[in-house]
Amino acid sequence: MAFDRQRAYEFSIHRDRDVAPFFAGRGKELRRFDDALRETYTSRGNQAVFCGYQGPPGCGKTSLVAHLRELHSGEALFVDVASRDFRTEDAPAERVSREIQNNRVDDDNVVSGFAQAGPPRPEPTQWDVKAVVLHMDEAQEVEPYAKTGLVQLHARGLGIPCVLVITGLGNTRERLSALGGLSRLSEQAIVNMGAMAQNECAESARMMLDALGAVGSDEEKAFAAGGVARLAYGWPQHLHIAQTALCSELLRTNGSLRDVDTGRVQEETIRRRHLCYESRLDGSVLGLDRHFTKRVIVKISEQSPPVVDELDDLCGEAMKQAGWSEKPRLAKITSIEFVDALVAKGVVTVSRSGCEVAIPSMVDWAADRDDPPSA
């Protein structure tokens, strides 16, 4: 197979984080969805099954759902939903009905027998749908008014097999559990998504090399894939960055792995990875003094506060030592606001095991504080 230069170029400029062109791994997460789908068939639509994935930005939640859509496109109707689609008990069914009526589904294996001239809000039994998968992204931002529809969906379903897939940051389970009626979600309902195994990252990189027709021996391909895996630190977002950096080098060498400059791949990967970390601080109190925020990230890594209250104490003490109360721009910011920003921006994840920096490689970036402090 000749080197596919056009495809390599397209992939090198690919910036869509919602899709993983060379999906690998995530066996536990895929099995969780398969189990949920089987469970909802058993329930015969009398109860929707909740299936959630939570974790920091860049851990691959959205690309996982995109992969699930691809795998199950002939079996289930996937519908994107938001808080507004759960405002009333009937709102979820109305949302599905609109999806069908808007002609967005043309696979007879999924939906058949639906009359386009039918009533504007048909009953679920009129849909003739095998199964419905509702996907709520950024679920940690769920609005309180969504409680009505969510509780109804969880307790009584849609009258047809239905799975609600929830994706969000590490505090998603906590936010959903705070809604009355959803406090008893099963232990298996929401999966914490962390790093991929190194061999899974290498598998994805090898899939890319094969798809592009990279020129080299099996040993050279294995070496290149392993290098990409090491640069990824197990993180899907970083894996994509490393893959596109290697792809750019392949364009320079016309597909020859032997002539790839691994140093350039590493430098570009690190540069773009650090830009991702910097962007985490934008638009919040974390970006007011980046030097300070980086120091706090290192302290959290060193101390691993077991509960949020101790994380609050850590941040409050750091703010006191840095003299925030004496700086006009910082004096009114509380430690609670700072902690909330750490969690909301996916810098810190809070779980039963404690408070941890969401991405281990972020600690190395934070420890390298060459930038001057701001005030």
Side-chain angles (χ1 to χ4, degrees):
M1 175 181 174
F3 177 58
D4 191 337
R5 190 173 185 84
Q6 180 61 31
R7 187 172 182 184
Y9 170 73
E10 291 172 355
F11 183 71
S12 71
I13 61 174
H14 181 77
R15 295 292 182 267
D16 186 359
R17 287 174 44 193
D18 293 345
V19 177
F22 306 104
F23 190 93
R26 297 304 190 193
K28 178 180 71 173
E29 290 81 359
L30 294 173
R31 287 191 296 272
R32 173 66 192 103
F33 178 81
D34 289 343
D35 290 344
L37 201 55
R38 282 194 294 268
E39 184 180 347
T40 196
Y41 284 142
T42 303
S43 72
R44 298 181 180 180
N46 295 322
Q47 181 181 22
V49 178
F50 283 29
C51 172
Y53 305 97
Q54 66 178 25
C59 71
K61 302 180 295 293
T62 307
S63 61
L64 170 67
V65 176
H67 187 64
L68 290 172
R69 287 178 188 260
E70 182 179 350
L71 289 176
H72 298 276
S73 61
E75 182 180 6
L77 168 63
F78 280 74
V79 180
D80 293 321
V81 292
S83 290
R84 62 180 176 275
D85 297 309
F86 298 94
R87 189 181 292 274
T88 67
E89 292 185 356
D90 295 332
E94 293 170 357
R95 176 69 185 91
V96 176
S97 178
R98 288 198 305 273
E99 187 74 11
I100 297 173
Q101 288 183 307
N102 288 340
N103 295 316
R104 295 178 184 174
V105 178
D106 56 9
D107 190 337
D108 289 339
N109 291 324
V110 180
V111 180
S112 62
F114 178 78
Q116 293 296 325
R121 288 184 290 181
E123 292 297 319
T125 53
Q126 292 180 265
W127 292 341
D128 196 15
V129 179
K130 283 188 176 181
V132 171
V133 177
L134 306 176
H135 174 217
M136 175 187 282
D137 198 12
E138 303 295 345
Q140 76 281 351
E141 301 292 342
V142 61
E143 297 288 350
Y145 64 69
K147 168 186 172 181
T148 301
L150 285 170
V151 171
Q152 171 75 7
L153 185 71
H154 190 235
R156 300 183 184 178
L158 289 177
I160 57 172
C162 176
V163 177
L164 174 64
V165 175
I166 301 159
T167 52
L169 295 180
N171 60 338
T172 297
R173 177 192 288 273
E174 178 184 350
R175 291 297 303 275
L176 287 173
S177 296
L179 297 175
L182 295 177
S183 59
R184 298 178 63 184
L185 288 175
S186 70
E187 288 295 315
Q188 295 78 30
I190 297 181
V191 176
N192 290 312
M193 287 185 64
M196 297 169 62
Q198 189 165 357
N199 67 305
E200 294 173 341
C201 294
E203 178 187 352
S204 176
R206 182 60 185 264
M207 290 167 62
M208 181 194 77
L209 294 175
D210 291 341
L212 299 181
V215 180
S217 65
D218 287 343
E219 290 76 12
E220 288 170 329
K221 291 180 180 179
F223 178 80
V228 165
R230 287 188 292 274
L231 289 171
Y233 286 90
W235 214 247
Q237 185 182 43
H238 302 338
L239 172 62
H240 180 73
I241 290 173
Q243 286 176 315
T244 54
L246 174 58
C247 200
S248 295
E249 266 296 285
L250 288 173
L251 286 169
R252 186 184 67 83
T253 67
N254 199 31
S256 172
L257 285 169
R258 181 174 301 178
D259 298 323
V260 163
D261 186 337
T262 56
R264 292 175 65 171
V265 174
Q266 178 174 333
E267 289 174 5
E268 177 63 10
T269 300
I270 292 173
R271 183 188 72 82
R272 288 180 54 194
R273 185 197 309 145
H274 286 185
L275 285 175
C276 288
Y277 293 152
E278 288 287 350
S279 68
R280 295 284 179 92
L281 312 187
D282 294 340
S284 73
V285 297
L286 305 181
L288 295 177
D289 188 340
R290 293 171 182 267
H291 186 74
F292 170 82
T293 299
K294 290 183 178 182
R295 282 200 325 238
V296 169
I297 290 172
V298 173
K299 285 186 177 181
I300 294 171
S301 175
E302 293 171 345
Q303 299 182 23
S304 297
V307 293
V308 175
D309 285 347
E310 292 194 24
L311 175 61
D312 183 34
D313 291 341
L314 183 154
C315 292
E317 182 60 28
M319 293 165 74
K320 180 179 178 181
Q321 292 179 3
W324 275 39
S325 61
E326 301 170 4
K327 300 177 181 179
R329 289 198 310 144
L330 307 177
K332 294 183 179 180
I333 298 171
T334 67
S335 58
I336 294 177
E337 289 177 294
F338 195 85
V339 168
D340 287 346
L342 286 171
V343 175
K345 285 290 187 175
V347 176
V348 171
T349 183
V350 179
S351 66
R352 293 174 182 175
S353 59
C355 307
E356 302 173 326
V357 178
I359 311 173
S361 59
M362 197 174 193
V363 180
D364 296 332
W365 162 77
D368 184 13
R369 298 186 297 271
D370 292 332
D371 58 312
S374 56

